[in-house]
Amino acid sequence: RKEVEQDPGPFNVPEGATVAFNCTYSNSASQSFFWYRQDCRKEPKLLMSVYSSGNEDGRFTAQLNRASQYISLLIRDSKLSDSATYLCAVAGAGSYQLTFGKGTKLSVIP
Amino acid sequence: DAGITQSPRHKVTETGTPVTLRCHQTENHRYMYWYRQDPGHGLRLIHYSYGVKDTDKGEVSDGYSVSRSKTEDFLLTLESATSSQTSVYFCAISVGGYEQFFGPGTRLTVL
Protein backbone atom coordinates (compact mmCIF):
# COMPACT_ATOMS: atom_id res chain seq x y z
CA ARG A 1 0.00 0.00 0.00
CA LYS A 2 1.39 3.39 -0.96
CA GLU A 3 1.99 5.84 1.88
CA VAL A 4 -0.40 8.51 0.68
CA GLU A 5 -3.06 7.84 -1.94
CA GLN A 6 -5.49 10.07 -3.75
CA ASP A 7 -8.03 9.50 -6.48
CA PRO A 8 -6.35 11.13 -9.50
CA GLY A 9 -9.64 12.20 -11.04
CA PRO A 10 -10.28 14.21 -13.04
CA PHE A 11 -13.33 15.49 -11.25
CA ASN A 12 -15.41 17.53 -13.67
CA VAL A 13 -18.08 19.48 -11.83
CA PRO A 14 -20.40 22.35 -12.77
CA GLU A 15 -20.06 25.75 -11.19
CA GLY A 16 -21.84 25.90 -7.88
CA ALA A 17 -21.47 22.20 -7.16
CA THR A 18 -20.04 20.69 -4.00
CA VAL A 19 -17.11 18.36 -4.46
CA ALA A 20 -15.16 16.26 -1.99
CA PHE A 21 -11.74 14.66 -2.19
CA ASN A 22 -10.32 12.00 0.06
CA CYS A 23 -6.73 11.13 0.79
CA THR A 24 -5.70 7.97 2.63
CA TYR A 25 -2.45 7.49 4.49
CA SER A 26 -0.80 4.30 5.67
CA ASN A 27 1.30 5.44 8.63
CA SER A 28 -0.90 5.49 11.72
CA ALA A 29 1.74 7.57 13.53
CA SER A 30 1.29 10.49 11.11
CA GLN A 31 0.80 13.74 12.96
CA SER A 32 0.33 16.59 10.54
CA PHE A 33 -1.83 16.85 7.47
CA PHE A 34 -2.18 19.43 4.74
CA TRP A 35 -3.98 20.23 1.52
CA TYR A 36 -2.14 22.04 -1.24
CA ARG A 37 -3.43 23.51 -4.46
CA GLN A 38 -1.33 23.43 -7.62
CA ASP A 39 -2.18 25.29 -10.78
CA CYS A 40 -0.85 24.12 -14.10
CA ARG A 41 2.90 24.73 -14.40
CA LYS A 42 3.03 26.44 -11.01
CA GLU A 43 4.32 25.52 -7.60
CA PRO A 44 2.09 23.88 -4.96
CA LYS A 45 0.55 26.40 -2.59
CA LEU A 46 -0.65 25.61 0.90
CA LEU A 47 -4.43 25.65 0.99
CA MET A 48 -5.17 24.40 4.48
CA SER A 49 -3.71 22.58 7.41
CA VAL A 50 -5.95 19.79 8.67
CA TYR A 51 -6.60 19.66 12.38
CA SER A 52 -8.09 16.86 14.44
CA SER A 53 -11.18 18.92 15.09
CA GLY A 54 -11.57 19.78 11.42
CA ASN A 55 -11.29 23.26 10.05
CA GLU A 56 -13.09 25.53 7.67
CA ASP A 57 -11.94 28.43 5.55
CA GLY A 58 -14.75 30.02 3.60
CA ARG A 59 -15.98 27.49 1.07
CA PHE A 60 -13.33 24.95 2.01
CA THR A 61 -13.62 22.40 4.81
CA ALA A 62 -10.93 19.93 5.77
CA GLN A 63 -11.44 16.96 8.06
CA LEU A 64 -9.30 14.23 9.56
CA ASN A 65 -10.46 10.71 10.34
CA ARG A 66 -7.70 9.03 12.31
CA ALA A 67 -9.57 5.77 12.81
CA SER A 68 -9.88 5.21 9.07
CA GLN A 69 -6.66 7.06 8.26
CA TYR A 70 -7.89 9.55 5.77
CA ILE A 71 -8.27 13.27 5.33
CA SER A 72 -10.89 14.99 3.25
CA LEU A 73 -11.36 18.30 1.51
CA LEU A 74 -14.82 19.64 0.75
CA ILE A 75 -15.31 22.53 -1.64
CA ARG A 76 -18.74 24.15 -1.63
CA ASP A 77 -20.16 26.41 -4.34
CA SER A 78 -17.36 25.58 -6.77
CA LYS A 79 -15.94 28.44 -8.82
CA LEU A 80 -14.18 28.30 -12.17
CA SER A 81 -11.10 29.53 -10.33
CA ASP A 82 -11.09 26.40 -8.17
CA SER A 83 -9.92 24.39 -11.18
CA ALA A 84 -6.53 23.01 -10.18
CA THR A 85 -4.85 19.92 -8.86
CA TYR A 86 -5.25 19.32 -5.13
CA LEU A 87 -2.44 17.56 -3.30
CA CYS A 88 -2.61 16.09 0.16
CA ALA A 89 0.50 15.89 2.31
CA VAL A 90 1.24 13.98 5.48
CA ALA A 91 4.05 14.31 8.04
CA GLY A 92 5.12 11.47 10.29
CA ALA A 93 5.49 11.78 14.04
CA GLY A 94 8.35 14.10 14.89
CA SER A 95 9.34 14.48 11.26
CA TYR A 96 9.50 17.60 9.17
CA GLN A 97 9.33 15.53 6.02
CA LEU A 98 6.10 15.56 4.08
CA THR A 99 4.88 12.73 1.89
CA PHE A 100 2.61 13.92 -0.88
CA GLY A 101 -0.18 12.22 -2.71
CA LYS A 102 -0.09 12.35 -6.48
CA GLY A 103 -2.93 14.84 -6.57
CA THR A 104 -6.54 15.03 -7.68
CA LYS A 105 -7.38 17.15 -10.68
CA LEU A 106 -10.49 19.29 -10.47
CA SER A 107 -12.12 21.00 -13.43
CA VAL A 108 -15.02 23.31 -12.72
CA ILE A 109 -17.17 23.72 -15.81
CA PRO A 110 -19.32 26.75 -16.64
CA ASP B 1 5.13 35.05 -0.09
CA ALA B 2 7.77 32.92 1.62
CA GLY B 3 10.65 34.71 -0.09
CA ILE B 4 11.96 31.72 -2.02
CA THR B 5 13.64 32.04 -5.38
CA GLN B 6 15.06 29.36 -7.63
CA SER B 7 17.58 29.68 -10.40
CA PRO B 8 17.68 28.99 -13.20
CA ARG B 9 13.97 28.77 -13.91
CA HIS B 10 14.53 26.79 -17.09
CA LYS B 11 17.52 24.80 -18.27
CA VAL B 12 18.26 22.51 -21.17
CA THR B 13 21.42 20.47 -20.92
CA GLU B 14 23.00 17.40 -22.42
CA THR B 15 23.47 13.96 -20.93
CA GLY B 16 26.63 13.69 -18.90
CA THR B 17 27.01 17.36 -18.03
CA PRO B 18 26.96 18.61 -14.44
CA VAL B 19 24.07 20.84 -13.42
CA THR B 20 23.57 22.90 -10.28
CA LEU B 21 20.25 24.34 -9.23
CA ARG B 22 20.05 27.04 -6.61
CA CYS B 23 17.41 27.74 -4.02
CA HIS B 24 17.58 31.00 -2.11
CA GLN B 25 15.48 32.13 0.83
CA THR B 26 15.45 35.52 2.47
CA GLU B 27 14.19 34.70 5.96
CA ASN B 28 16.76 32.34 7.54
CA HIS B 29 14.49 29.33 7.91
CA ARG B 30 16.27 26.25 9.13
CA TYR B 31 14.65 23.52 7.04
CA MET B 32 14.96 23.43 3.26
CA TYR B 33 13.97 20.71 0.81
CA TRP B 34 14.47 19.67 -2.79
CA TYR B 35 11.69 17.80 -4.62
CA ARG B 36 11.18 16.60 -8.13
CA GLN B 37 7.75 16.34 -9.72
CA ASP B 38 7.00 13.98 -12.56
CA PRO B 39 3.74 12.88 -14.17
CA GLY B 40 2.51 9.73 -12.51
CA HIS B 41 4.82 10.11 -9.53
CA GLY B 42 3.85 13.33 -7.89
CA LEU B 43 6.23 15.21 -5.64
CA ARG B 44 9.16 13.17 -4.37
CA LEU B 45 11.75 14.30 -1.86
CA ILE B 46 15.34 14.27 -3.11
CA HIS B 47 17.31 15.75 -0.22
CA TYR B 48 16.65 18.05 2.67
CA SER B 49 18.64 20.23 5.04
CA TYR B 50 18.10 21.04 8.69
CA GLY B 51 20.86 23.60 9.01
CA VAL B 52 24.14 24.80 7.55
CA LYS B 53 26.15 21.76 6.44
CA ASP B 54 23.40 19.46 7.78
CA THR B 55 21.72 17.50 5.03
CA ASP B 56 20.08 14.13 4.58
CA LYS B 57 18.73 11.95 1.81
CA GLY B 58 15.15 11.69 0.74
CA GLU B 59 13.25 9.13 -1.25
CA VAL B 60 15.00 9.61 -4.61
CA SER B 61 18.52 10.81 -3.81
CA ASP B 62 20.54 8.65 -6.22
CA GLY B 63 22.35 10.79 -8.76
CA TYR B 64 21.94 13.97 -6.74
CA SER B 65 24.04 15.78 -4.17
CA VAL B 66 23.33 18.90 -2.14
CA SER B 67 25.22 21.53 -0.24
CA ARG B 68 24.27 24.19 2.23
CA SER B 69 27.14 26.48 3.17
CA LYS B 70 24.88 29.39 4.12
CA THR B 71 21.46 29.42 5.74
CA GLU B 72 19.90 31.16 2.79
CA ASP B 73 21.18 28.93 -0.02
CA PHE B 74 20.53 25.26 -0.74
CA LEU B 75 22.17 23.88 -3.87
CA LEU B 76 21.18 20.74 -5.75
CA THR B 77 23.79 19.20 -8.06
CA LEU B 78 23.36 16.59 -10.71
CA GLU B 79 26.93 15.37 -11.12
CA SER B 80 26.31 13.81 -14.52
CA ALA B 81 22.83 14.52 -15.80
CA THR B 82 20.78 11.73 -17.35
CA SER B 83 17.57 11.86 -19.35
CA SER B 84 15.72 10.30 -16.39
CA GLN B 85 16.48 13.48 -14.44
CA THR B 86 14.37 15.56 -16.79
CA SER B 87 11.81 16.95 -14.41
CA VAL B 88 10.46 19.95 -12.59
CA TYR B 89 12.45 20.66 -9.45
CA PHE B 90 10.92 22.48 -6.52
CA CYS B 91 12.64 23.87 -3.48
CA ALA B 92 10.65 24.28 -0.27
CA ILE B 93 11.13 25.62 3.23
CA SER B 94 9.45 24.92 6.53
CA VAL B 95 8.23 27.97 8.37
CA GLY B 96 7.84 27.40 12.09
CA GLY B 97 5.87 24.18 11.96
CA TYR B 98 5.47 21.35 9.51
CA GLU B 99 3.92 23.41 6.72
CA GLN B 100 6.14 23.76 3.68
CA PHE B 101 6.20 26.59 1.20
CA PHE B 102 7.49 26.15 -2.29
CA GLY B 103 9.62 28.11 -4.68
CA PRO B 104 8.52 28.69 -8.28
CA GLY B 105 10.35 25.64 -9.65
CA THR B 106 13.03 24.88 -12.22
CA ARG B 107 12.18 23.03 -15.41
CA LEU B 108 15.15 20.90 -16.38
CA THR B 109 15.43 19.07 -19.67
CA VAL B 110 18.29 16.63 -20.21
CA LEU B 111 18.77 15.74 -23.86
Side-chain angles (χ1 to χ4, degrees):
Chain A
R1 180 181 176 184
K2 295 192 185 301
E3 288 191 55
V4 179
E5 291 195 74
Q6 294 182 251
D7 182 338
F11 283 59
N12 299 316
V13 302
E15 274 187 287
T18 295
V19 61
F21 309 133
N22 282 345
C23 168
T24 60
Y25 61 94
S26 60
N27 184 352
S28 59
S30 298
Q31 290 290 330
S32 301
F33 309 88
F34 307 95
W35 283 103
Y36 284 79
R37 170 197 169 120
Q38 186 172 25
D39 293 296
C40 187
R41 301 179 72 85
K42 297 288 189 180
E43 73 272 23
K45 293 189 176 179
L46 182 66
L47 181 64
M48 299 178 76
S49 301
V50 187
Y51 305 120
S52 296
S53 57
N55 49 310
E56 186 173 314
D57 183 4
R59 297 182 294 110
F60 298 82
T61 300
Q63 292 192 313
L64 167 64
N65 185 317
R66 285 194 182 275
S68 300
Q69 295 184 206
Y70 73 88
I71 61 173
S72 63
L73 177 68
L74 182 76
I75 306 175
R76 290 181 298 277
D77 189 23
S78 298
K79 312 289 185 191
L80 295 176
S81 58
D82 294 333
S83 296
T85 296
Y86 291 83
L87 308 173
C88 64
V90 176
S95 171
Y96 282 88
Q97 293 183 52
L98 293 181
T99 300
F100 285 83
K102 294 180 182 179
T104 298
K105 185 173 182 180
L106 172 66
S107 294
V108 181
I109 305 163
Chain B
D1 183 2
I4 309 166
T5 57
Q6 293 185 233
S7 58
R9 294 293 312 280
H10 302 269
K11 186 169 183 67
V12 179
T13 191
E14 294 189 350
T15 298
T17 60
V19 176
T20 295
L21 308 182
R22 180 182 184 236
C23 177
H24 178 80
Q25 57 147 327
T26 58
E27 300 184 7
N28 293 323
H29 295 296
R30 181 180 171 195
Y31 282 83
M32 299 183 76
Y33 309 81
W34 276 108
Y35 292 88
R36 61 178 290 175
Q37 188 174 38
D38 305 286
H41 290 280
L43 278 163
R44 292 180 292 173
L45 182 65
I46 305 171
H47 282 277
Y48 66 99
S49 170
Y50 45 96
V52 173
K53 297 192 190 310
D54 291 324
T55 65
D56 207 347
K57 296 179 180 180
E59 177 189 355
V60 290
S61 59
D62 287 348
Y64 302 93
S65 62
V66 290
S67 65
R68 192 165 178 202
S69 58
K70 299 186 289 185
T71 301
E72 59 265 37
D73 288 327
F74 191 30
L75 304 181
L76 177 71
T77 297
L78 291 66
E79 300 290 348
S80 177
T82 67
S83 59
S84 64
Q85 293 176 312
T86 292
S87 187
V88 181
Y89 291 87
F90 289 104
C91 173
I93 60 172
S94 290
V95 178
Y98 296 94
E99 300 95 338
Q100 292 184 16
F101 296 87
F102 287 81
T106 295
R107 293 187 173 273
L108 176 67
T109 301
V110 183
L111 300 175

Short mmCIF file of all heavy atoms in Angstrom, two decimals, chain B residues 10 13 19 23 30 32 34-35 39 41-42 46-47 54-55 61 68 78 80 82 86 90 93-94 102 104 107 109-110:
data_model
loop_
_atom_site.label_atom_id
_atom_site.label_comp_id
_atom_site.label_asym_id
_atom_site.label_seq_id
_atom_site.Cartn_x
_atom_site.Cartn_y
_atom_site.Cartn_z
N HIS B 10 14.57 27.77 -16.02
CA HIS B 10 14.53 26.79 -17.09
C HIS B 10 15.96 26.46 -17.50
O HIS B 10 16.81 27.36 -17.52
CB HIS B 10 13.79 27.34 -18.33
CG HIS B 10 12.39 27.77 -18.05
ND1 HIS B 10 11.32 26.93 -18.18
CD2 HIS B 10 11.88 28.96 -17.64
CE1 HIS B 10 10.21 27.59 -17.87
NE2 HIS B 10 10.52 28.82 -17.54
N THR B 13 20.03 20.89 -20.97
CA THR B 13 21.42 20.47 -20.92
C THR B 13 21.55 19.12 -21.61
O THR B 13 20.55 18.51 -22.01
CB THR B 13 21.91 20.39 -19.47
OG1 THR B 13 23.33 20.22 -19.46
CG2 THR B 13 21.27 19.22 -18.73
N VAL B 19 25.06 19.77 -13.51
CA VAL B 19 24.07 20.84 -13.42
C VAL B 19 23.89 21.18 -11.95
O VAL B 19 23.79 20.28 -11.10
CB VAL B 19 22.70 20.38 -13.98
CG1 VAL B 19 21.66 21.47 -13.78
CG2 VAL B 19 22.82 20.01 -15.46
N CYS B 23 18.58 27.29 -4.74
CA CYS B 23 17.41 27.74 -4.02
C CYS B 23 17.86 28.77 -3.01
O CYS B 23 18.81 28.53 -2.24
CB CYS B 23 16.73 26.58 -3.31
SG CYS B 23 15.31 27.05 -2.29
N ARG B 30 15.30 27.33 8.92
CA ARG B 30 16.27 26.25 9.13
C ARG B 30 16.13 25.12 8.12
O ARG B 30 17.10 24.60 7.61
CB ARG B 30 16.10 25.72 10.55
CG ARG B 30 17.06 24.63 10.92
CD ARG B 30 16.80 24.17 12.35
NE ARG B 30 17.58 22.97 12.64
CZ ARG B 30 17.35 22.20 13.68
NH1 ARG B 30 16.38 22.49 14.55
NH2 ARG B 30 18.09 21.13 13.90
N MET B 32 15.14 23.24 4.70
CA MET B 32 14.96 23.43 3.26
C MET B 32 14.92 22.07 2.59
O MET B 32 15.54 21.10 3.08
CB MET B 32 16.08 24.29 2.67
CG MET B 32 16.16 25.69 3.27
SD MET B 32 17.43 26.72 2.52
CE MET B 32 16.65 27.16 0.95
N TRP B 34 14.51 19.76 -1.35
CA TRP B 34 14.47 19.67 -2.79
C TRP B 34 13.56 18.51 -3.18
O TRP B 34 13.71 17.40 -2.67
CB TRP B 34 15.85 19.43 -3.39
CG TRP B 34 16.65 20.65 -3.60
CD1 TRP B 34 17.75 21.06 -2.91
CD2 TRP B 34 16.44 21.65 -4.61
NE1 TRP B 34 18.24 22.25 -3.40
CE2 TRP B 34 17.44 22.63 -4.45
CE3 TRP B 34 15.50 21.80 -5.63
CZ2 TRP B 34 17.53 23.75 -5.27
CZ3 TRP B 34 15.59 22.92 -6.45
CH2 TRP B 34 16.59 23.88 -6.27
N TYR B 35 12.60 18.79 -4.08
CA TYR B 35 11.69 17.80 -4.62
C TYR B 35 11.83 17.78 -6.14
O TYR B 35 12.20 18.77 -6.76
CB TYR B 35 10.24 18.15 -4.31
CG TYR B 35 9.82 18.08 -2.87
CD1 TYR B 35 9.97 19.18 -2.04
CD2 TYR B 35 9.25 16.93 -2.35
CE1 TYR B 35 9.56 19.13 -0.71
CE2 TYR B 35 8.84 16.87 -1.03
CZ TYR B 35 9.00 17.98 -0.22
OH TYR B 35 8.59 17.92 1.09
N PRO B 39 5.07 13.46 -13.93
CA PRO B 39 3.74 12.88 -14.17
C PRO B 39 3.70 11.43 -13.70
O PRO B 39 4.61 10.66 -13.96
CB PRO B 39 3.60 12.97 -15.69
CG PRO B 39 4.51 14.07 -16.09
CD PRO B 39 5.68 14.01 -15.14
N HIS B 41 4.08 10.35 -10.78
CA HIS B 41 4.82 10.11 -9.53
C HIS B 41 4.55 11.16 -8.47
O HIS B 41 4.80 10.94 -7.30
CB HIS B 41 6.33 10.07 -9.81
CG HIS B 41 6.75 8.87 -10.57
ND1 HIS B 41 6.94 7.64 -9.99
CD2 HIS B 41 7.00 8.71 -11.89
CE1 HIS B 41 7.31 6.77 -10.91
NE2 HIS B 41 7.36 7.39 -12.07
N GLY B 42 4.08 12.28 -8.87
CA GLY B 42 3.85 13.33 -7.89
C GLY B 42 5.14 13.93 -7.39
O GLY B 42 6.21 13.80 -8.02
N ILE B 46 14.01 14.67 -2.66
CA ILE B 46 15.34 14.27 -3.11
C ILE B 46 16.32 14.32 -1.94
O ILE B 46 16.97 13.35 -1.58
CB ILE B 46 15.83 15.18 -4.24
CG1 ILE B 46 14.84 15.19 -5.40
CG2 ILE B 46 17.20 14.71 -4.75
CD1 ILE B 46 15.16 16.24 -6.47
N HIS B 47 16.46 15.51 -1.38
CA HIS B 47 17.31 15.75 -0.22
C HIS B 47 16.68 16.86 0.60
O HIS B 47 15.88 17.65 0.09
CB HIS B 47 18.71 16.23 -0.62
CG HIS B 47 19.64 15.18 -1.11
ND1 HIS B 47 20.39 14.37 -0.27
CD2 HIS B 47 19.98 14.83 -2.37
CE1 HIS B 47 21.15 13.57 -0.99
NE2 HIS B 47 20.92 13.82 -2.27
N ASP B 54 24.17 20.61 7.32
CA ASP B 54 23.40 19.46 7.78
C ASP B 54 22.38 19.08 6.73
O ASP B 54 21.39 19.80 6.53
CB ASP B 54 22.69 19.78 9.10
CG ASP B 54 23.64 19.95 10.25
OD1 ASP B 54 24.66 19.22 10.29
OD2 ASP B 54 23.39 20.81 11.11
N THR B 55 22.63 17.94 6.08
CA THR B 55 21.72 17.50 5.03
C THR B 55 21.46 16.01 5.17
O THR B 55 22.21 15.29 5.84
CB THR B 55 22.29 17.78 3.63
OG1 THR B 55 23.46 16.99 3.42
CG2 THR B 55 22.64 19.25 3.46
N SER B 61 17.27 10.05 -3.88
CA SER B 61 18.52 10.81 -3.81
C SER B 61 19.62 10.34 -4.77
O SER B 61 20.59 11.06 -5.00
CB SER B 61 19.06 10.77 -2.39
OG SER B 61 19.29 9.43 -2.00
N ARG B 68 24.85 23.02 1.58
CA ARG B 68 24.27 24.19 2.23
C ARG B 68 25.36 24.84 3.08
O ARG B 68 25.57 24.47 4.22
CB ARG B 68 23.07 23.83 3.09
CG ARG B 68 22.28 25.04 3.54
CD ARG B 68 20.96 24.64 4.05
NE ARG B 68 20.20 25.80 4.53
CZ ARG B 68 19.21 25.70 5.39
NH1 ARG B 68 18.87 24.50 5.87
NH2 ARG B 68 18.56 26.78 5.77
N LEU B 78 23.40 17.82 -9.96
CA LEU B 78 23.36 16.59 -10.71
C LEU B 78 24.77 16.43 -11.27
O LEU B 78 25.19 17.20 -12.14
CB LEU B 78 22.36 16.66 -11.85
CG LEU B 78 20.86 16.72 -11.50
CD1 LEU B 78 20.48 18.01 -10.78
CD2 LEU B 78 20.03 16.55 -12.76
N SER B 80 26.25 14.20 -13.11
CA SER B 80 26.31 13.81 -14.52
C SER B 80 24.87 13.56 -14.96
O SER B 80 24.32 12.48 -14.74
CB SER B 80 27.16 12.54 -14.68
OG SER B 80 27.17 12.12 -16.03
N THR B 82 21.33 12.77 -16.49
CA THR B 82 20.78 11.73 -17.35
C THR B 82 19.37 12.12 -17.77
O THR B 82 18.72 12.95 -17.12
CB THR B 82 20.71 10.37 -16.63
OG1 THR B 82 19.74 10.45 -15.58
CG2 THR B 82 22.05 9.98 -16.04
N THR B 86 15.26 14.53 -16.24
CA THR B 86 14.37 15.56 -16.79
C THR B 86 13.14 15.64 -15.91
O THR B 86 12.46 14.63 -15.69
CB THR B 86 13.96 15.21 -18.23
OG1 THR B 86 15.10 15.31 -19.08
CG2 THR B 86 12.87 16.14 -18.74
N PHE B 90 11.43 21.47 -7.44
CA PHE B 90 10.92 22.48 -6.52
C PHE B 90 11.75 22.48 -5.25
O PHE B 90 12.06 21.43 -4.69
CB PHE B 90 9.47 22.21 -6.14
CG PHE B 90 8.48 22.46 -7.24
CD1 PHE B 90 7.91 21.41 -7.93
CD2 PHE B 90 8.12 23.76 -7.57
CE1 PHE B 90 6.98 21.64 -8.95
CE2 PHE B 90 7.20 24.01 -8.57
CZ PHE B 90 6.63 22.94 -9.27
N ILE B 93 10.65 25.34 1.88
CA ILE B 93 11.13 25.62 3.23
C ILE B 93 10.02 25.31 4.22
O ILE B 93 8.84 25.31 3.87
CB ILE B 93 11.54 27.10 3.38
CG1 ILE B 93 10.36 28.03 3.11
CG2 ILE B 93 12.71 27.44 2.47
CD1 ILE B 93 10.64 29.48 3.42
N SER B 94 10.42 25.02 5.44
CA SER B 94 9.45 24.92 6.53
C SER B 94 9.49 26.22 7.32
O SER B 94 10.57 26.71 7.63
CB SER B 94 9.80 23.77 7.48
OG SER B 94 9.60 22.53 6.88
N PHE B 102 6.70 26.52 -1.13
CA PHE B 102 7.49 26.15 -2.29
C PHE B 102 7.97 27.35 -3.09
O PHE B 102 7.29 28.36 -3.18
CB PHE B 102 6.66 25.24 -3.20
CG PHE B 102 6.48 23.85 -2.66
CD1 PHE B 102 5.51 23.59 -1.71
CD2 PHE B 102 7.31 22.82 -3.08
CE1 PHE B 102 5.35 22.32 -1.19
CE2 PHE B 102 7.16 21.54 -2.57
CZ PHE B 102 6.18 21.29 -1.63
N PRO B 104 9.24 28.73 -7.01
CA PRO B 104 8.52 28.69 -8.28
C PRO B 104 8.90 27.52 -9.18
O PRO B 104 8.22 27.26 -10.17
CB PRO B 104 8.89 30.02 -8.94
CG PRO B 104 10.21 30.35 -8.35
CD PRO B 104 10.17 29.84 -6.95
N ARG B 107 12.46 24.08 -14.41
CA ARG B 107 12.18 23.03 -15.41
C ARG B 107 13.49 22.64 -16.06
O ARG B 107 14.13 23.46 -16.72
CB ARG B 107 11.20 23.55 -16.46
CG ARG B 107 9.85 23.79 -15.89
CD ARG B 107 8.79 24.14 -16.93
NE ARG B 107 7.49 24.18 -16.27
CZ ARG B 107 6.72 23.13 -16.10
NH1 ARG B 107 7.09 21.95 -16.58
NH2 ARG B 107 5.58 23.22 -15.46
N THR B 109 15.50 20.04 -18.58
CA THR B 109 15.43 19.07 -19.67
C THR B 109 16.83 18.56 -19.95
O THR B 109 17.74 19.36 -20.19
CB THR B 109 14.83 19.68 -20.95
OG1 THR B 109 13.52 20.19 -20.66
CG2 THR B 109 14.75 18.65 -22.06
N VAL B 110 17.00 17.25 -19.92
CA VAL B 110 18.29 16.63 -20.21
C VAL B 110 18.15 15.88 -21.53
O VAL B 110 17.37 14.92 -21.64
CB VAL B 110 18.74 15.69 -19.10
CG1 VAL B 110 20.13 15.13 -19.41
CG2 VAL B 110 18.75 16.41 -17.75
#
